[in-house]
Amino acid sequence: MIEDPRIARMAKALVEYSLGVQAGWTVTISATTAAMPLVQAVYKQVLVAGGHPYVLLEPPGIKDLMLRIGSDEQLSRVDPFKLLMLDKSDAVLDILSEENTRSANTVDPRRQALTQQARAALGNLSMDRITKGQPRCLTLFPTQAYAQDAEMSLSEFEDFVFHACLLDSEEDPADRWRQVSREQQRIVDWLAGKKEVHVEAPGTDLTMSIEGRNFVNSDGKRNFPSGEVFTSPVEDTVRGHITYSYPASYNGRTVQGVKLTFEEGRVTHFSAEQGEGYLAAMLDMDEGARKLGEFAIGTNTGVTRITRNTLFDEKIAGTIHCALGNAYPNAGGINKSAIHWDMVTDMREGRVVVDGATMYEAGKFVI
């Protein structure tokens, strides 16, 4: 088998740029066995950097077994080893690498909700790492399952992923991501100190306060690829309605045609053309699930089409996304929830107005 040189470039970028691994660090690499080429390449780069790599591999079908035959007690249990891993690692790399993204499609949403609530402790610890600036990055290794979701061949999807990650030339990807960071920082600086955001698009008229909140420059260190600027709105100020243009996937389930209405920060009415029952179950997950934890604008021009994978879809240049549930403390957010579900809206026929000034129109920044 011929090794794809883009995998080596990806590993180098992840270790040197995204995680910034230093000599003596303990680095955990978490993936399924389908991601072995990238796991091995990252392992090698951590060794080169003088770190101590630790690999946490998941065999195929394990999550599916738990969802289908686990008792409520087992579904609700927090994995103590993953908690320990998050606590003791200097850097963590999570590699999405599912071989079957549809295995949960027929599982009772209540069982999925129990599992998601159990993961909340892991999510809180992960969020705490991000808030403290401790390196953690989420990336994806192309598999046949993701390619099928995106309606591409595997080779097409590989090209798509590596292009979105700025890996399809021999130019140092870290330098290219530093350029992205500088471009996005200009936007973040302009938004500093602003008070109100108003989003208008077909089927969407949504207003929220961002007073006292800050926008974060997502430049390939927390997600790889990245390409977005985001904040957490003031929780009780979100009002109006939003229609999400694209399918929204979460834990292997997809909903489409989602429409949400907010009053005093909470979802009061909702509908979906597909998957409305699952949406309802997630909205009733906990007290914070009906509030917005994130508002963001995608900037990655390399993400050229919908893939039904949030890691890419939320980064599409010309879109915004709003996440139900858990907020980002590093953006000033305080909402707590076991879910954080990003949903994407096309803005090519819309605009974003901030404090009365149009800053984004027809899918482009105009500031």
Side-chain angles (χ1 to χ4, degrees):
M1 182 177 179
I2 300 174
E3 183 175 320
D4 191 327
R6 297 172 297 185
I7 294 175
R9 288 199 288 271
M10 186 174 186
K12 194 171 189 293
L14 287 166
V15 172
E16 293 184 2
Y17 174 75
S18 300
L19 297 176
V21 174
Q22 303 295 311
W25 279 16
T26 297
V27 181
T28 298
I29 307 161
S30 177
T32 75
T33 51
M36 281 304 298
L38 181 57
V39 170
Q40 291 174 330
V42 170
Y43 194 98
K44 177 182 177 181
Q45 288 298 325
V46 173
L47 290 175
V48 170
H52 305 292
Y54 170 76
V55 177
L56 184 62
L57 281 181
E58 181 179 288
I62 292 296
K63 289 179 183 175
D64 185 49
L65 279 173
M66 176 59 78
L67 273 173
R68 293 187 183 281
I69 69 173
S71 66
D72 284 1
E73 180 186 2
Q74 290 167 326
L75 290 170
S76 303
R77 187 170 186 265
V78 181
D79 188 333
F81 297 102
K82 288 187 177 179
L83 285 172
L84 184 65
M85 174 270 290
L86 283 169
D87 183 52
K88 299 299 182 182
S89 299
D90 296 296
V92 177
L93 176 65
D94 288 311
I95 305 173
L96 299 173
S97 45
E98 297 293 336
E99 295 182 87
N100 182 353
T101 60
R102 309 290 179 88
S103 61
N105 279 6
T106 58
V107 174
D108 182 350
R110 183 193 68 82
R111 294 177 64 78
Q112 289 185 299
L114 284 174
T115 302
Q116 192 61 39
Q117 288 169 337
R119 291 176 183 167
L122 294 171
N124 291 338
L125 190 51
S126 179
M127 194 69 74
D128 188 53
R129 288 185 64 93
I130 293 170
T131 302
K132 293 177 180 177
Q134 296 173 320
R136 181 170 191 186
C137 185
L138 175 70
T139 192
L140 178 144
F141 183 77
T143 67
Q144 194 68 254
Y146 296 134
Q148 290 172 346
D149 286 346
E151 299 181 352
M152 302 184 206
S153 69
L154 180 56
S155 62
E156 286 176 320
F157 187 65
E158 288 170 343
D159 290 343
F160 170 88
V161 169
F162 294 134
H163 178 67
C165 293
L166 306 181
L167 300 167
D168 49 2
S169 77
E170 294 188 9
E171 182 182 351
D172 183 357
D175 284 342
R176 299 179 73 185
W177 279 107
R178 290 186 189 101
Q179 181 180 346
V180 169
S181 182
R182 289 191 293 270
E183 292 169 353
Q184 293 184 170
Q185 191 59 44
R186 179 186 68 82
I187 299 163
V188 168
D189 291 343
W190 186 89
L191 286 161
K194 299 297 193 293
K195 295 182 179 180
E196 186 178 79
V197 170
H198 183 199
V199 181
E200 297 175 297
T204 296
D205 188 348
L206 195 69
T207 303
M208 67 195 76
S209 171
I210 55 169
E211 187 170 6
R213 303 296 166 91
N214 58 284
F215 274 78
V216 177
N217 181 351
S218 185
D219 55 2
K221 293 183 177 178
R222 188 177 62 87
N223 286 174
F224 192 87
S226 195
E228 64 172 298
V229 295
F230 68 87
T231 191
S232 291
V234 178
E235 285 72 16
D236 61 357
T237 66
V238 182
R239 63 188 185 277
H241 57 274
I242 185 167
T243 300
Y244 293 105
S245 313
Y246 298 118
S249 298
Y250 194 70
N251 286 341
R253 298 288 286 266
T254 298
V255 299
Q256 295 191 51
V258 175
K259 297 181 181 181
L260 303 177
T261 299
F262 290 85
E263 297 176 11
E264 298 182 344
R266 291 182 55 81
V267 174
T268 55
H269 298 87
F270 65 91
S271 65
E273 295 171 4
Q274 174 188 324
E276 188 172 295
Y278 181 68
L279 175 62
M282 294 300 103
L283 286 170
D284 290 338
M285 172 81 68
D286 51 39
E287 180 64 24
R290 287 179 177 252
K291 297 180 181 180
L292 279 193
E294 179 187 10
F295 167 77
I297 303 173
T299 66
N300 191 324
T301 56
V303 184
T304 54
R305 56 185 287 183
I306 196 76
T307 65
R308 293 175 178 79
N309 188 296
T310 304
L311 180 64
F312 298 98
D313 296 347
E314 69 174 6
K315 313 300 193 310
I316 299 174
T319 69
I320 65 158
H321 60 275
C322 297
L324 291 166
N326 211 39
Y328 289 107
N330 58 333
I334 58 174
N335 192 48
K336 298 291 185 183
S337 176
I339 71 166
H340 181 91
W341 190 353
D342 297 284
M343 299 184 187
V344 183
T345 293
D346 191 335
M347 291 296 292
R348 288 173 294 182
E349 297 181 23
R351 65 175 182 156
V352 178
V353 178
V354 179
D355 288 357
T358 299
M359 62 93 66
Y360 189 83
E361 189 166 19
K364 296 182 179 180
F365 291 97
V366 295
I367 54 173

